[in-house]
Amino acid sequence: MSDLDYLFKQNAEWAEKIKAEDPEFFAKLSQQQTPEFLWIGCSDSRVPANQIVGLMPGDIFVHRNVANLVVHTDLNCLSVMQFAVEVLKVKHIMVTGHYGCGGVKAAMQNQQVGIVDYWIRNIRDVYFNHQQELENIADEEQRLERLCEFNVMQQVANVSHTNIVQNAWQRGQDLTIHGWCYSIKDGIIRQLMEPIDSLDEVSSRYRLS
């Protein structure tokens, strides 16, 4: 007997509960997915996208990685973005970090972790760009929280710099990018910046013709 049999039991109970509330739910869900949202978030198990915004399966398309990064050489993330924008026609992309992020914390420390060092190097660049403000924060936890916010804002910029998003705007597609940060301590999402919904809001240095 598998040690994970309880997961199958819980799955069956969950499916029965859903069908009791809406007998046609899975039949409708299996026909198509039409989410309006793409969530780019952290892999942290405490930050489940659907649950914390109260959405059901099928309502939100999700990509997660360590520290919610959008790296221009990451074909996984870019493929998700392209499918979400060009096929699913999502209207909102939410880059959602969280306070106390382990990946961001590791980037603040001068210690080797492993292969993830190459990944979080991107966050070290964010720290370097905001070094003066960050090092003026005496409290280490507050410094970490601020770097979590700076990291989200940089990833929002990275999303807006892609030809995927810029081509969508050029086509007149309705698409808005949001930068959010979630607190595990109270379950609340904070909006960190004004949403970006047009090429006019992107620095001319990053606009693609």
Side-chain angles (χ1 to χ4, degrees), residues 122-193:
N122 296 282
I123 309 171
R124 291 193 171 109
D125 292 338
V126 175
Y127 189 103
F128 180 79
N129 292 334
H130 299 277
Q131 185 169 351
Q132 183 173 352
E133 178 179 337
L134 288 167
E135 294 187 353
N136 283 334
I137 301 174
D139 183 83
E140 187 173 346
E141 183 176 351
Q142 291 180 7
R143 191 185 311 130
L144 171 59
E145 291 191 350
R146 188 59 174 148
L147 182 54
C148 290
E149 294 176 345
F150 279 137
N151 182 51
V152 167
M153 290 185 277
Q154 181 60 59
Q155 307 320 311
V156 167
N158 291 349
V159 171
S160 74
H161 298 164
T162 64
N163 58 10
I164 299 165
V165 167
Q166 293 192 17
N167 288 342
W169 284 331
Q170 295 280 18
R171 294 191 299 268
Q173 191 169 331
D174 183 12
L175 182 62
T176 304
I177 312 168
H178 308 262
W180 295 352
C181 207
Y182 171 73
S183 173
I184 295 171
K185 293 180 179 179
D186 63 13
I188 301 299
I189 295 172
R190 275 78 173 176
Q191 178 174 289
L192 300 180
M193 55 192 292

Side-chain angles (χ1 to χ4, degrees), residues 38-43 49 60-66 68-70 74-81 94 96 119:
L38 167 60
W39 175 286
I40 300 176
C42 183
S43 298
I60 189 167
F61 201 59
V62 177
H63 175 79
R64 295 170 69 178
N65 60 52
V66 173
N68 44 271
L69 299 184
V70 179
D74 180 8
L75 297 182
N76 186 351
C77 181
L78 295 179
S79 297
V80 169
M81 285 179 53
M94 300 97 80
T96 308
W119 184 251

Side-chain angles (χ1 to χ4, degrees), residues 21 25 73 78 89 130 144:
E21 295 172 355
F25 179 82
T73 54
L78 295 179
K89 306 294 184 184
H130 299 277
L144 171 59

